[in-house]
């Protein structure tokens, strides 16, 4: 069986008492519940905990929970959201087709990536290339096709995944602390996060060799720069592109709140391009493949997922 995505930001720690955390917003609650749905902790057709229980768990008012649930309902991850009975995880999660091409609306990574990855895994030979800051979005998105493989709904014969991430040896453009004296501490935290996500992704995919006899290859390369965008290429036919937009925010690191500039990669808006959707999209997909392959074969280097 496969592991769930690791999120160091929410991992429990022991030791000194933590300082008081600001109350979660409805976006924070939606992000956590979305992660549980995408990773398979909450399964399609499963009833959610009651709004009262969720409010108690997250330490927020019921109105905040209700707003979060409505966000997930708008993203077609939940059904039956009301003030009464608990909501239900969408029973057809991951099976809805989101179109690509000029008419396709840009959607948040958490909404757009998983169904497109699931569609890509319907092929006999699956090819996924990713260039990103960490592999957290990809790890979450692959959870649904992995579940469907284990359920016998998808049966690829071969899977090739290539991922390019920033090198541990560079000074990251972001995330970066507002106080530059804190750079080493933040760099160490980011590196641990990068490695943990990559290890989970690799483990989950390589496990398919033993469980289903699938020919799986997972490769990582290190970039000598911080990517300002994220790019996913699926089976050579689609390109999904998003900007990393920086914000100033506060994050707890080593029991202390640290001000930093960072990007919310899971919320980045993905633009979908399909090779068969006209000259504009065809050219974008082809140029994206050329760009990725050029970086992979020239200035990138071996990446080892250890500290």
């Amino acid at each position: 069986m496969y592991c769930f995505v690791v999120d160091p930001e929410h991992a429990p720690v022991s030791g000194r008492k933590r300082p008081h955390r600001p109350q979660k917003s409805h976006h924070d609650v939606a992000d956590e519940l979305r992660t549980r749905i995408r990773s398979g902790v909450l399964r399609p057709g499963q009833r959610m905990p009651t709004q009262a229980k969720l409010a108690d768990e997250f330490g927020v008012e019921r109105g905040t929970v209700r707003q979060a649930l409505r966000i997930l309902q708008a993203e077609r991850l939940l059904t039956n959201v009301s003030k009464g009975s608990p909501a239900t995880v969408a029973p057809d999660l991951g099976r809805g087709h989101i179109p690509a091409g000029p008419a396709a609306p840009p959607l948040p990574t958490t909404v757009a990536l998983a169904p497109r990855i699931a569609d890509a895994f319907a092929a006999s030979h699956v090819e996924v290339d990713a260039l990103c800051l960490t592999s957290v979005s990809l790890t979450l998105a692959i959870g649904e096709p992995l579940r469907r493989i284990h359920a016998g709904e998808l049966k690829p014969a071969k899977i090739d995944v290539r991922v390019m991430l920033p090198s541990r040896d560079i000074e990251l453009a972001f995330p970066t602390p507002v106080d530059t004296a804190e750079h080493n501490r933040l760099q160490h935290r980011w590196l641990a996060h990068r490695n943990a996500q990559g290890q989970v992704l690799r483990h989950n995919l390589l496990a398919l060799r033993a469980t289903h006899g699938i020919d799986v290859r997972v490769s990582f390369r290190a970039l000598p720069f911080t990517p300002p965008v994220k790019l996913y290429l699926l089976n050579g036919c689609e390109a999904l592109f998003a900007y990393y937009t920086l914000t100033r925010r506060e994050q707890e690191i080593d029991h202390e709140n640290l001000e930093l500039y960072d990007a919310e990669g899971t919320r980045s808006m993905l633009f979908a391009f399909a090779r068969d959707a006209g000259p504009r999209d065809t050219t974008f997909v082809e140029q994206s493949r050329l760009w990725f392959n050029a970086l992979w074969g020239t200035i990138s280097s071996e990446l080892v997922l250890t500290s």
Side-chain angles (χ1 to χ4, degrees):
M1 199 56 192
Y2 54 93
C3 300
F4 292 127
V5 63
V6 175
D7 187 352
E9 184 176 351
H10 298 99
V13 295
S14 58
R16 286 189 297 162
K17 184 179 179 180
R18 292 185 175 188
H20 175 70
R21 285 188 171 189
Q23 189 178 54
K24 292 180 179 293
S25 69
H26 60 283
H27 288 294
D28 295 326
V29 176
D31 287 346
E32 173 60 28
L33 294 177
R34 186 188 297 109
T35 296
R36 295 177 190 180
I37 294 170
R38 289 303 189 196
S39 64
V41 174
L42 294 170
R43 304 290 293 275
Q46 180 179 341
R47 295 186 75 183
M48 297 282 290
T50 65
Q51 293 180 18
K53 288 183 178 179
L54 290 172
D56 183 64
E57 176 186 349
F58 290 105
V60 298
E61 301 293 331
R62 289 194 192 183
T64 301
V65 170
R66 196 171 300 117
Q67 286 180 282
L69 297 179
R70 286 171 179 164
I71 289 175
L72 300 181
Q73 179 176 246
E75 295 175 1
R76 295 183 294 179
L77 297 179
L78 294 179
T79 61
N80 302 325
V81 174
S82 68
K83 292 184 179 181
S85 60
T88 303
V89 180
D92 58 348
L93 179 64
R95 293 171 174 79
H97 179 70
I98 298 178
L107 295 169
T109 300
T110 48
V111 178
L113 187 57
R116 303 213 73 82
I117 292 284
D119 286 347
F121 268 70
S124 176
H125 183 189
V126 180
E127 295 179 281
V128 177
D129 293 333
L131 182 149
C132 37
L133 187 64
T134 69
S135 58
V136 59
S137 294
L138 182 60
T139 304
L140 287 169
I142 281 181
E144 174 62 14
L146 288 179
R147 184 193 68 78
R148 294 177 64 185
I149 289 173
H150 288 295
E153 299 172 11
L154 296 175
K155 298 180 180 180
K158 186 175 182 180
I159 300 173
D160 284 305
V161 176
R162 299 188 299 173
V163 183
M164 283 195 288
L165 304 169
S167 168
R168 59 174 295 165
D169 299 322
I170 66 171
E171 183 170 330
L172 291 170
F174 62 91
T176 187
V178 174
D179 180 0
T180 57
E182 300 286 352
H183 172 76
N184 289 340
R185 190 151 61 106
L186 184 59
Q187 179 92 359
H188 179 76
R189 173 64 176 256
W190 169 83
L191 181 61
H193 190 42
R194 184 205 73 171
N195 292 343
Q197 298 294 342
Q199 289 166 357
V200 170
L201 176 66
R202 181 173 61 188
H203 171 81
N204 288 349
L205 288 167
L206 293 182
L208 295 175
R209 290 177 177 174
T211 58
H212 293 77
I214 300 173
D215 181 8
V216 180
R217 289 183 295 179
V218 184
S219 306
F220 292 87
R221 298 283 288 177
L223 293 166
F225 60 89
T226 308
V229 299
K230 60 166 61 178
L231 175 70
Y232 304 97
L233 299 169
L234 309 180
N235 294 342
C237 298
E238 292 185 64
L240 306 176
F241 174 91
Y243 294 101
Y244 283 117
T245 302
L246 297 184
T247 59
R248 179 169 175 162
R249 65 184 180 89
E250 187 178 88
Q251 181 176 332
E252 183 184 323
I253 297 178
D254 298 332
H255 313 292
E256 297 179 12
N257 291 328
L258 183 66
E259 290 285 336
L260 66 151
Y261 299 109
D262 198 5
E264 293 284 355
T266 57
R267 297 180 185 175
S268 299
M269 300 295 287
L270 276 182
F271 295 81
F273 299 84
R275 192 175 59 187
D276 58 356
R280 164 189 170 274
D281 280 48
T282 298
T283 301
F284 187 89
V285 173
E286 291 176 350
Q287 290 298 310
S288 296
R289 291 182 65 195
L290 288 173
W291 184 62
F292 186 96
N293 288 332
L295 290 175
W296 187 272
T298 57
I299 61 174
S300 65
S301 58
E302 182 182 2
L303 187 150
V304 179
L305 294 171
T306 56
S307 300

